[in-house]
Amino acid sequence: MTGTAPDGGDCRPRPPISFELFPPRTDAAALALGSTIDRLADTGPSFMSVTFGAGGSSRDRSLTVLRHMLEHTRVEPMAHLTCVGSSHAEANRLVREFLDAGITSFLALRGDPPAGADPEAGLGDLQSAAELVQLIHRVQEEREPFGQAGIPGLPGATSIRERPRPERVAVAAFPTGHPRSRDLEQDIDTLLAKEVAGANLALTQLFWGADDYLGFIERARAGGVTMPILPGIMPVTTPARLARLVELTGVPAPSRLVRALEADADPDRQFATGVDHAARLAADVLDGGAPGLHLYTFNRHEAVLAVLDRLGLRTPAFAGIERNTRTP
Ligand code: FAD
């Protein structure tokens, strides 16, 4: 964790913090999200990511939230994109549309086929997140084959400079294994394939114990993955939400947390339990060397800000995540 300097000040830079949001479904939720975005932006996050419904179901709503961030905050917006079920042409159009809107950071995901989808129908042209990572870089190259910069003192004159690349192309990582993968080796191989394809950051699925994350990092490094892997942490403050998360992610929750949330129906004490668990987990992974924290907000700022307060990390950071320069 951050240490204390002799003058009482903090002697280590604050680790980068980022947040995940999802696109609201109603006008009332959109209004509330605006104020949540403001509160989160005040903490100086490295980026805020916005989820994307598989199959493009939330495309317009996701883009609206991302545009709002671009226009009203100084925070870098990151667009989740999924490719499952898309043709090459559709995926190409999707990436181009987000780049045209000014989005330069992406979380490239395969996504899941809709429940009950006909397996014979196939997954579309892009079979994996790695292929979407490559496509994002390719579309960016096609849009702007080379960059241009003005020449100081020569109005209207330009010189050719290195082509601008997408800011961040992040991918998902699964510390306790993807529910459909054979074994953890397959998850490491998939992550390495995504880095080789051009990803420069990984964000993890939820996990409940620091050892899950730290052990995964050790195996990923041994397997050749070099990009930063941010731990994804969510303060879970109700038993119902915990049950839903277990269902969505397939990652079983620790029985101690389940019991603690179920033992006391008082919302304030449940809130404190969820914040306490997330803050301890965050402290342990940072102590173990995590390069920052990616906090799942569930579109609420109270719990994640309480976690940052507990960790003494509420003040804005100015240091960014060290980027991997091995992008092709
Ligand atoms: P890939 O990297 O292509 O594969 C991931 C892992 O699954 C690999 O280990 C791979 O080997 C294994 N695998 C994949 N398919 C199979 C299969 N058929 N059989 C066996 N093994 C298989 N989903 C959304 O729809 N929208 C979002 O906004 C979204 N955001 C996410 C954010 C984060 C941080 C994470 C961790 C997940 C998110 N997801 C989201 C869920 C994600 O789309 C699913 O987990 C999906 O199943 C895998 O996507 P991927 O990009 O990891 O796929």
Side-chain angles (χ1 to χ4, degrees), residues 191-216:
L191 189 58
L192 183 60
K194 294 195 260 196
E195 179 169 337
V196 170
N200 52 20
L201 176 67
L203 309 178
T204 77
Q205 179 60 286
L206 290 180
F207 57 91
W208 303 105
D211 289 348
D212 291 333
Y213 169 79
L214 297 172
F216 178 74

Side-chain angles (χ1 to χ4, degrees), residues 147-185:
Q148 290 186 338
I151 301 174
L154 291 177
T158 56
S159 66
I160 290 176
R161 63 173 165 80
E162 198 188 344
R163 170 172 47 80
R165 287 180 180 282
E167 198 74 23
R168 296 179 217 261
V169 182
V171 289
F174 298 84
T176 54
H178 185 277
R180 301 283 302 275
S181 65
R182 266 191 321 274
D183 49 37
L184 280 177
E185 288 311 307

Side-chain angles (χ1 to χ4, degrees), residues 233-258:
I233 291 179
M234 180 175 192
V236 187
T237 56
T238 68
R241 178 148 309 150
L242 185 61
R244 178 82 184 118
L245 280 174
V246 169
E247 190 185 315
L248 280 175
T249 61
V251 184
S255 46
R256 221 163 36 144
L257 178 61
V258 178

Side-chain angles (χ1 to χ4, degrees), residues 20 51-54 80 82 107-112 127-129 172-174 178 180-181 186-187 190 194 203-205 296:
E20 181 191 284
T51 64
F52 187 83
H80 294 210
T82 65
L107 173 58
L109 298 147
R110 191 201 60 179
D112 290 311
Q127 304 289 323
S128 69
F174 298 84
H178 185 277
R180 301 283 302 275
S181 65
Q186 187 187 352
D187 286 294
T190 309
K194 294 195 260 196
L203 309 178
T204 77
Q205 179 60 286
Y296 293 104

Side-chain angles (χ1 to χ4, degrees), residues 11 16 27 53 61 109 114 118-119 142 157 203 213 260 287 306 324:
C11 61
D27 289 349
R61 285 179 290 123
L109 298 147
D118 175 8
E142 285 165 8
L203 309 178
Y213 169 79
D287 277 344
N324 181 346

